[in-house]
Amino acid sequence: MAEGEMLKGDKLILRGLKFHGFHGVKEEEQKLGQKFLVDVDAWMDLRKPGQSDKLSDTISYTEIYRVSKQEDSLE
């Protein structure tokens, strides 16, 4: 999706997601890990769920959280 198109869509905002990850240059960071605070702006087209009013047609905030956590947890 082109940038101009994304801005015309709907945005789900998740702020202050907290994860523990093992990223960094230092050995201690990779061994002990550290806490990360993540903000997510997820652009999408929510016209279909808006018209149908069906939960199954939309995206779950829980799924966005899960994907964010998975990405943050990668070593």
Side-chain angles (χ1 to χ4, degrees):
M1 188 181 284
E3 175 124 0
E5 291 176 299
M6 287 194 322
L7 297 176
K8 294 178 185 175
D10 301 290
K11 181 166 83 168
L12 296 180
I13 302 169
L14 286 80
R15 295 285 182 254
L17 305 179
K18 295 178 184 177
F19 306 114
H20 189 86
F22 297 88
H23 309 285
V25 176
K26 297 181 180 179
E27 184 178 338
E28 294 83 14
E29 293 172 318
Q30 295 175 11
K31 190 180 294 184
L32 301 174
Q34 56 188 319
K35 293 181 181 176
F36 291 88
L37 185 63
V38 177
D39 293 333
V40 176
D41 292 345
W43 290 92
M44 62 204 67
D45 183 356
L46 295 175
R47 285 179 288 190
K48 182 178 179 181
Q51 292 170 352
S52 72
D53 203 29
K54 292 181 181 178
L55 190 58
S56 60
D57 286 339
T58 193
I59 188 163
S60 166
Y61 282 82
T62 304
E63 183 65 13
I64 295 172
Y65 178 89
R66 187 192 64 74
V67 170
S68 301
K69 183 176 182 180
Q70 178 181 345
E71 290 299 316
D72 186 64
S73 299
L74 295 176
E75 295 183 26

